[in-house]
Amino acid sequence: MNEPNWDDLRIFLRVCDGGGLTAAAATTGLSPATLGRRVTALEQCIGRTLFERSQAGYRLTADGRTLRDKARAMEAGMRPIADWSRTSGEKPGVRISAGTWTANFLADHFTALWSPTDAFHICFKTTEARLDLAHREAEIGLRNASPETGNLAVRKLADVAFAPYRAAYLPADAPLDWVAIGRDEALTASARWVLDQADAPVAAWANTPRTLADLVAAGAGRGVLPCFAGDRDRRLVRAGPVIAEMMQAQYMITHGDDRHRPEVRTLIGRIAALIEQNADLYRGERSARAA
């Protein structure tokens, strides 16, 4: 038997919690297909069947229940190590979990969030998947959905608009197919929008939002981006109006206990102030370079 991957064990626990792949996808941000592959890989690694699969969901086998209990003990044992690693240096770290474009925006405005005199460091964890804040995989999470359970504090930050973009050097009437995120990697509603359009012609596929934007800027086609990202990229102009049905809220989420730590409380306030100052950019209303 090979040594199981800890990330696969955590995914296994989230499937246990949700009773199936669909519920686990909502909490992890991974697609059901990806989750299914990871669970199967874990079963192959340890040589045991962990779930009985049916249309009703995933039901733990006896081996699955045993592994669940052992994995929970491991998860609990890892927590003090994670806490120690954040506080053992000269300054504690505050981990921010955010998607590609939110992390990009925060990085561009880093001096509004941190200065050398601050008694903490910022640690970015950029991922389209949703880290488990209830189990302290990060201190602050910026997401497009409010969690339904857990000891978590939630604060709405802004309304986010989306629009199609094309390369700025192309003529406005240039015929363009779409650039899209592959279905297995399309973890957000905005990434799935092109896939959900009937007969939308796709010129190129990407597996990350950054690659999608680079392909659009290179003239491969048009692609959907949040306006606070597309309108800041001088390589791009809008290829159409804001897509009304894609408007979504952005939330800041913290663990109910961690939010009282001084460094976390300070960073919460600074992030909220920064995004509030740019609310018009998030809504797609700030001097957009329209097609």
Side-chain angles (χ1 to χ4, degrees), residues 44-176:
Q44 293 173 345
C45 175
I46 65 176
R48 297 173 187 264
T49 300
L50 303 175
F51 292 104
E52 295 176 0
R53 281 98 164 153
S54 72
Q55 291 184 342
Y58 273 39
R59 183 171 178 269
L60 284 165
T61 63
D63 284 331
R65 290 191 294 272
T66 299
L67 182 61
R68 177 197 60 194
D69 295 342
K70 293 181 181 297
R72 291 232 188 272
M74 289 178 61
E75 189 173 50
M78 290 289 290
R79 196 166 301 135
I81 297 174
D83 293 342
W84 169 80
S85 70
R86 294 196 302 273
T87 60
S88 60
E90 293 183 1
K91 297 180 180 181
V94 180
R95 297 168 298 172
I96 301 175
S97 167
T100 295
W101 300 123
T102 299
N104 170 262
F105 178 80
L106 296 181
D108 273 358
H109 296 83
F110 185 72
T111 56
L113 304 179
W114 186 85
S115 74
T117 60
D118 283 324
F120 62 88
H121 292 302
I122 296 177
C123 309
F124 285 94
K125 303 191 77 171
T126 304
T127 175
E128 308 311 310
R130 297 175 187 171
L131 299 189
D132 190 345
L133 272 68
H135 289 86
R136 290 185 166 93
E137 290 186 342
E139 282 68 54
I140 297 174
L142 299 173
R143 298 178 178 171
N144 61 7
S146 178
E148 297 179 356
T149 59
N151 179 24
L152 301 171
V154 182
R155 178 173 180 174
K156 181 181 175 181
L157 294 177
D159 290 315
V160 182
F162 293 79
Y165 289 83
R166 61 172 174 83
Y169 75 85
L170 292 175
D173 58 353
L176 294 173

Side-chain angles (χ1 to χ4, degrees), residues 5 91 96 112 142 167 185 192 211 228 230 232 250 284-285 288:
N5 183 295
K91 297 180 180 181
I96 301 175
L142 299 173
E185 293 83 18
R192 293 189 295 270
T211 301
F228 73 85
R232 289 169 40 244
Q250 184 173 82
E285 299 171 354

Side-chain angles (χ1 to χ4, degrees), residues 28-43:
T28 64
L30 299 175
S31 70
T34 298
L35 291 170
R37 287 196 297 269
R38 298 288 288 272
V39 169
T40 299
L42 178 61
E43 290 178 321

